[in-house]
Amino acid sequence: MATRRGFKKDMNLIYSDLLLEALDSFRASKNKDEKKISELCNKISDHHADFISRASHTDGKGNKKVVKAYYKSLWDEVLKDVMALGEEASKL
């Protein structure tokens, strides 16, 4: 993730894979609760939009150390969020 563009592409890939995993879990489950999958898909979409927005507005412009720390903490948050949403998707 050397650039903001690469960072956003990585997030797009991760969240699209997560959405597909949720839909596959829903399709494979015997208890098909459309409300739950709809809520989960909306949650994934909202979290994705939030992180993309946060990646677009960097704190500490001009100070490379601050920017690097910002993106590192943001990436850590993305990974934690994806893991939590992935567990929720697998429980469908």
Side-chain angles (χ1 to χ4, degrees):
M1 292 172 295
T3 64
R4 182 183 309 171
R5 182 178 179 191
F7 186 78
K8 288 180 182 181
K9 281 185 174 184
D10 289 346
M11 280 198 295
N12 287 336
L13 179 67
I14 289 172
Y15 277 99
S16 64
D17 285 348
L18 183 61
L19 188 59
L20 287 174
E21 179 186 334
L23 292 173
D24 285 343
S25 294
F26 172 72
R27 202 173 340 148
S29 73
K30 294 177 181 164
N31 183 14
K32 297 190 185 242
D33 188 1
E34 291 181 14
K35 185 176 180 182
K36 283 185 181 179
I37 188 64
S38 176
E39 289 174 358
L40 181 60
C41 289
N42 287 336
K43 188 185 232 184
I44 291 170
S45 177
D46 291 344
H47 286 212
H48 176 247
D50 177 54
F51 283 117
I52 289 292
S53 174
R54 288 173 57 190
S56 297
H57 305 291
T58 307
D59 293 338
K61 290 185 179 180
N63 189 346
K64 289 184 180 182
K65 288 183 180 180
V66 172
V67 171
K68 189 173 182 176
Y70 176 78
Y71 279 112
K72 179 161 177 25
S73 68
L74 185 62
W75 185 249
D76 291 341
E77 286 182 51
V78 167
L79 292 178
K80 287 178 186 175
D81 183 55
V82 167
M83 294 301 286
L85 290 172
E87 288 178 15
E88 193 174 331
S90 66
K91 291 179 183 177
L92 289 177

